Amino acid sequence: MNAPTSFHQLQPAPRPVPEAFLQALAERFGSQYSAALAVREQHGRDEGSLQAPPPAAVVFAESTQDVQDAVRLAAQYGVPVIPYGAGSSLEGHLLAVQGGISIDMGRMNRVLSVDADDLTVTVQPGITRKQLNEAIKDTGLFFPIDPGADASIGGMAATRASGTNAVRYGTMRENVLALEVVTARGEVIRTGTRAKKSSAGYDLTRLMVGSEGTLGLFTEVTVRLYPLPEAVSAAICSFPTIEAAVRTVIQTIQLGVPIARVELIDANSVRMVNAHSKLRLREEPLLLMEFHGSPAGVQEQAEVVQDIAREWDGNAFEWATTPEERTRLWTARHNAYFAAVQSRPGCKAISTDTCVPISRLADCLLDSVAEADASGIPYFLVGHVGDGNFHFGYLLDPAVPAERETAERLNHQLVARALRLGGTCTGEHGVGVHKMGFLVDEAGEGAVEMMRAIKRALDPQNILNPGKIFAL
C-alpha cells in the first residue's frame, strides 16, 4: 500500500515563469490579468489542508477565445496552466505545485441554450449549480447533482463530482453529455452530442470528465436535466448506533426503494451541526432522507423506509413538510464541514472519502469509526451512504505534527480497507495531489501507465494542471 506522500516529495521544482510571458499576458488581457499577491493567493488554495506557493498570475477568462489565447501563450513558453472554478475542491486540485498561472473561469457563467424538450442545457463552465438551477427554474426542470458546495459546473465535470442526489440521479459521469474543450495546443474540440447515446468512436467525453484539468480546459458543458418532482418529502430518523443506521440504508437500497437522498450523520457531526446551525437534533447517529415522485409514490417510499428503520430501532422519525424546513435541514448538512472546523478553533481538516459496494458499507464504516475513536483525534463523519460513499474529516492542530501523522495514518487505513472490500480510494473528491499514491494501489501500475501515456499524447509539454492524479 502506497502511504500518503508529501506533494513536495512527488513534485519537481516549480518551473520558471518568464517575464516575457507575463508581459504578453498583461498586454493581451489588460484588466483581466492580475499579478497582485492577494489575487494569486486566493487562486492558489482550495478547501483542503495542503499548501503550496501561489501561481505567478491570474487570467480572468470571459470567452473560449480568452482561454485559447492564454493556453497558446503558456504552450509557447512552456508554463503550466491551472483552471479555477469556485475553489471548493478538497484534494489540492488548484495548487500551483509546479508553478504557472491560474485561469479563472468564474466570469464564463452564462446559460448558452436550454433544450427543454430534450432535457438538456448547455452552459459555460463557470456557472455554479445554484446559478444554473435559478436560471432554469421557470422551465419545470432542474439539475440534480449536488456536491454540497456551490461548485462550478466545469469543476464538477473535471472532478466527476456527485453528492447527495447521486443515489437516484447518478454522478457527473452519467449526466455530462458533451463538452467544448481547449487542448494543450490551444485548439478547440467538441466531444459528444445532445443525443442520449452514441457508438461513434472513442468516448472522449468520458475521458475528459474526471480528468481534473490535466487533459483540457472545459469552455462549454452540456448536461442532462430532470423534471421537477411532483412531490418532495424529507425526514430524519435517529438510531442508537451507526450500525443500525447503516443496516437500514443497506436494506432500503437492496429492496429497490427509489430514494432520492439518504445521508448519514454521526453523533459527533450532529453535535457540531446543532451548534453551528442552531438546530436541536437528537445527538445520535441519524439519517437525513428525501423522497421524490408522485404524492402516492413518495408516501409509499417513506412508509417502506419507516418500517425498515423500526426493525433497526430507528426512532424520532420526523418529517420536514415545507420547502423551508427541508432547505434548513439540507443547508445544515451541507455546512457540516464548516461546523466541524468551527468546533475546534484554529484547526485544519483532512477530509477524505471512499466508496464501497453497498453490501460492504457496514464492514468498512464500523471498523473505520473504531480506529478514529481509538486515535483520540476529533473527527466528523457524513456520508451519501445510499451509494456506499462516506466522508471522514479529521480535525488537527496544524502546530502539532503528530496529529497530522495520526490523521494521515487513519486516512491510509481507511483507503486500504475500502480497496480490500472492492471499493475506491475516492468516491467523489478526486485524486488531486493528496491521493496520488493510492491510485496505483487501486488501478495497478499498468493502468496508471496507460493514463500517463494518454497524458503525454494529449499534453506533451505537461502544462495542463501538472502534478495532479499521478507523477510524470
Side-chain angles (χ1 to χ4, degrees), residues 327-403:
T327 297
R328 190 178 182 209
L329 283 174
W330 284 110
T331 299
R333 158 60 186 92
H334 289 328
N335 287 339
Y337 175 86
F338 302 105
V341 171
Q342 282 191 1
S343 73
R344 190 181 187 190
C347 77
K348 291 287 186 180
I350 292 184
S351 181
T352 187
D353 79 313
T354 57
C355 187
V356 295
I358 191 70
S359 64
R360 309 310 302 272
L361 178 60
D363 298 334
C364 190
L365 195 49
L366 296 174
D367 287 347
S368 301
V369 166
E371 287 177 347
D373 285 338
S375 74
I377 289 282
Y379 70 92
F380 65 95
L381 166 62
V382 294
H384 321 312
V385 286
D387 55 10
N389 186 201
F390 60 91
H391 306 257
F392 273 88
Y394 307 111
L395 305 175
L396 57 95
D397 183 340
V400 182
E403 291 196 6

Side-chain angles (χ1 to χ4, degrees), residues 28 30 45 106 109 117 141 151 165 169 173 197 199 226 242 338 345 348 354 370 373 384 401 411 434:
R28 163 61 179 83
R45 60 174 180 263
N109 62 356
D117 291 342
L141 304 172
N165 278 319
Y169 297 100
R173 180 182 63 186
K197 61 183 181 180
S199 297
Y226 294 80
I242 289 178
F338 302 105
K348 291 287 186 180
T354 57
D373 285 338
H384 321 312
N411 179 31
H434 193 217

Side-chain angles (χ1 to χ4, degrees), residues 17-308:
V17 179
E19 187 61 34
F21 168 64
L22 296 179
Q23 183 62 35
L25 285 179
E27 291 175 359
R28 163 61 179 83
F29 290 100
S31 62
Q32 294 172 239
Y33 166 89
S34 179
L37 179 60
V39 175
R40 293 190 292 119
E41 287 181 339
Q42 176 193 350
H43 290 77
R45 60 174 180 263
D46 59 11
E47 295 292 346
S49 63
L50 300 177
Q51 295 181 339
V58 178
V59 170
F60 294 89
E62 296 180 358
S63 66
T64 298
Q65 187 65 58
D66 284 348
V67 178
Q68 279 188 274
D69 289 349
V71 171
R72 284 171 177 165
L73 282 170
Q76 178 182 340
Y77 288 93
V79 174
V81 293
I82 306 160
Y84 183 96
S88 57
S89 58
L90 290 163
E91 301 292 355
H93 298 88
L94 307 177
L95 301 184
V97 291
Q98 294 186 20
I101 65 165
S102 174
I103 300 182
D104 187 320
M105 305 289 196
R107 298 181 186 178
M108 296 178 65
N109 62 356
R110 292 189 297 121
V111 174
L112 300 175
S113 66
V114 179
D115 299 284
D117 291 342
D118 293 324
L119 304 179
T120 67
V121 64
T122 299
V123 300
Q124 291 182 307
I127 193 169
T128 69
R129 63 177 184 87
K130 289 182 180 179
Q131 290 172 338
L132 172 56
N133 278 320
E134 179 65 22
I136 63 174
K137 65 181 181 181
D138 294 334
T139 66
L141 304 172
F142 81 119
F143 178 66
I145 311 305
D146 177 5
D150 191 20
S152 69
I153 298 299
M156 290 167 63
T159 55
R160 201 157 54 225
S162 53
T164 59
N165 278 319
V167 64
R168 177 158 183 165
Y169 297 100
T171 73
M172 292 299 282
R173 180 182 63 186
E174 292 80 32
N175 286 285
V176 175
L177 294 172
L179 295 165
E180 180 183 85
V181 182
V182 173
T183 71
R185 293 191 295 181
E187 297 176 344
V188 175
I189 66 166
R190 292 184 177 272
T191 76
T193 69
R194 291 193 298 108
K196 291 187 68 174
K197 61 183 181 180
S198 172
S199 297
Y202 294 164
D203 191 344
L204 296 181
T205 305
R206 299 283 81 72
L207 174 63
M208 291 291 172
V209 173
S211 62
E212 302 185 14
T214 64
L215 299 180
L217 277 65
F218 306 157
T219 49
E220 291 183 15
V221 187
T222 299
V223 296
R224 300 180 191 271
L225 299 177
Y226 294 80
L228 284 165
E230 184 181 357
V232 177
S233 180
I236 58 173
C237 184
S238 297
F239 292 84
T241 64
I242 289 178
E243 180 174 12
V246 171
R247 296 294 180 188
T248 297
V249 174
I250 292 172
Q251 194 168 340
T252 296
I253 300 304
Q254 290 178 338
L255 284 176
V257 178
I259 193 167
R261 292 172 163 179
V262 54
E263 293 287 297
L264 171 69
I265 308 176
D266 79 322
N268 290 336
S269 303
V270 174
R271 284 191 290 273
M272 296 169 185
V273 165
N274 277 344
H276 180 268
S277 300
K278 305 300 187 290
L279 297 179
R280 301 179 68 179
L281 302 172
R282 292 174 61 130
E283 295 185 350
E284 298 175 338
L286 68 78
L287 296 178
L288 174 55
M289 296 166 281
E290 193 167 278
F291 308 92
H292 295 179
S294 67
V298 163
Q299 182 177 350
E300 181 182 1
Q301 294 170 40
E303 289 174 352
V304 170
V305 174
Q306 197 165 2
D307 288 342
I308 295 171

Side-chain angles (χ1 to χ4, degrees), residues 308-327:
I308 295 171
R310 288 195 189 102
E311 293 179 16
W312 293 99
D313 297 322
N315 55 63
F317 212 99
E318 298 178 13
W319 295 96
T321 56
T322 68
E324 292 77 14
E325 290 174 330
R326 292 198 303 272
T327 297

